[in-house]
């Protein structure tokens, strides 16, 4: 809770936007976040406004604040469907600017800054469509993009947005609301990174692409609810979307920028969007694109064929295959270690931005190899984050 001029600035979670992913509850160091079947909420008696939970939240729902005279109780928050308005009519005098709030949070955060967008990123649109007013898109195509013989079933979906204004930037995600189950008490929502650039999968048409991995039933749980719904859609089907989400994992628009992109599996989706933007609009650089792409085999790599056809003057691709019979076992961290000198040379340049996207587990192994190969990595990591040059999205 941040106090200003006698009023209180209460930290809350927007129930309309929150996807109930539990990340904030796992992140909060002092257990200020709790949930019931409906909502995730912040306990005003515990929250110290440290800001640790803000960066990891994939939707931005956690970055919600209200000016109050008496804090909203947990019991009240657990029943909300919408955030209430500020309760004090004179709240204007107490509302701090974003910069002031950020400064307060950083002090409270003891110097560890939260991620910020690249300085030259375009300004993103956020929450244009909400759970209560989703937009309806039409499936224009749904193709498997991994080898039909591989165990990994990844689909490329093209969605037509009709006449809806739904502007997306490279790196942003959208929420998918599947048709509700008859006994559901509230809608299910999952996030998917958009894999087409800002001008869409097909420029001149109002559309976007998603890259979705079918989560199979591996015997330990149920098959993935929304990924199977998406992978089974056929041309002409209609689908409800919310968002867009994400205001920091964005691409710099300065043509001098270098992008180091590190991913596994569907973590490649935002990098397809960024690479496609460069291919269409900045084909001859001068910025460099360096991609580290990890998978077990070539047949499991989404977009393997089109990726291999990209001009090497546009993008430097380091494939890291861990179970391919004709190449040595390599994970993304091995690729990074092998190219540490190139990575260091790029990081030394202010125009370089590093992105990491994919399964949660890769984050610690990538950080491990960067610590080992790049001098003074922990200090550099904090600096890169502060400068909007390091972006991590794992799920
Ligand atoms: C910011 C963000 C961006 C994302 N972008 C993408 C994207 O571009 N493409 C994409 O495919 N997904 C993406 N995801 C993940 C996506 O939101 C879903 O979590 C995923 O599709 C599984 O949802 P589901 O409803 O199919 O599975 P659920 O019904 O939620 O899960 C069913 C079972 O599968 C397990 N499970 C869930 N996910 C996985 C998994 N990935 N691998 C193995 N087991 C799993 C669960 O523990 C459970 O037992 C993203 C997530 C976030 C937060
Ligand atoms: S979407 Fe954000 S606020 Fe909601 S549970 Fe996930 S991390 Fe928490
Ligand atoms: S701001 Fe800090 S204390 Fe408050 S909920 Fe977030 S992580 Fe917890």
């Amino acid at each position: 809770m941040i106090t200003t001029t006698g009023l209180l600035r209460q930290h809350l979670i927007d129930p309309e936007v929150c996807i109930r992913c539990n990340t904030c509850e796992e992140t909060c160091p002092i257990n200020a976040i709790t949930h019931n079947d409906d909502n995730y909420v912040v306990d005003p008696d515990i929250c110290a406004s440290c800001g640790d939970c803000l960066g990891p939240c994939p939707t931005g729902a956690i970055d919600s604040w209200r000016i109050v005279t008496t804090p909203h109780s947990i019991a009240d928050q657990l029943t909300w469907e919408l955030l209430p308005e500020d309760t004090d009519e004179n709240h204007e005098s107490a509302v701090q600017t974003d910069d002031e709030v950020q400064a307060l949070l950083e002090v409270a955060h003891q110097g560890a800054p939260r991620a910020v967008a690249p300085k030259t990123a375009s300004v993103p649109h956020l929450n244009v469509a909400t759970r209560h007013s989703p937009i309806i898109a039409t499936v224009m195509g749904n193709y498997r993009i991994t080898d039909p013989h591989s165990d990994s079933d990844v689909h490329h979906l093209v969605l037509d947005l009709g006449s809806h204004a739904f502007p997306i930037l490279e790196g942003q995600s959208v929420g998918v609301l599947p048709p509700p189950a008859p006994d559901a008490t509230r809608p299910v929502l999952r996030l998917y990174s958009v894999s087409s650039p800002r001008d869409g999968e097909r420029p001149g048409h109002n559309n976007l692409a998603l890259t979705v991995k079918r989560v199979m039933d591996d015997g330990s749980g149920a098959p993935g609810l929304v990924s199977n719904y998406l992978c089974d859609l056929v041309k002409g089907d209609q689908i409800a979307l919310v968002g867009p989400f994400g205001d920091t994992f964005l691409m710099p628009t300065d043509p001098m920028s270098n992008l180091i992109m590190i991913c596994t599996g569907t973590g490649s989706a935002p990098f397809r969007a960024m690479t496609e933007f460069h291919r269409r609009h900045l084909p001859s650089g001068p910025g460099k694109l360096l991609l580290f792409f990890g998978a077990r085999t070539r047949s499991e790599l989404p977009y393997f064929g089109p990726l291999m056809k990209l001009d090497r003057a546009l993008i430097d691709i380091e494939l890291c295959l861990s179970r391919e019979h004709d190449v040595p076992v390599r994970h993304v961290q091995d690729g990074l270690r092998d190219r540490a000198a190139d990575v260091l040379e790029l990081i030394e340049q202010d125009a370089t931005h590093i992105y990491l996207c994919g399964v949660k587990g890769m984050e610690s192994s990538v950080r491990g190899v960067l610590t080992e190969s790049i001098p003074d990595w922990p200090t550099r990591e904090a600096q890169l984050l502060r400068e909007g040059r390091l972006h991590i999205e794992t799920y």
Side-chain angles (χ1 to χ4, degrees), residues 271-294:
F271 303 147
R272 179 180 184 270
M274 293 180 189
T275 305
E276 201 47 26
F277 178 90
H278 275 251
R279 190 184 69 77
R280 286 181 198 172
H281 304 291
L282 302 167
S284 47
K288 293 192 173 69
L289 306 186
L290 172 56
L291 173 70
F292 293 89
F293 199 168

Side-chain angles (χ1 to χ4, degrees), residues 97-116:
T97 66
D98 282 352
D99 284 352
E100 286 166 329
V101 171
Q102 178 68 19
L104 276 169
L105 289 173
E106 284 195 18
V107 170
H109 210 175
Q110 297 182 328
R114 51 187 286 228
V116 294

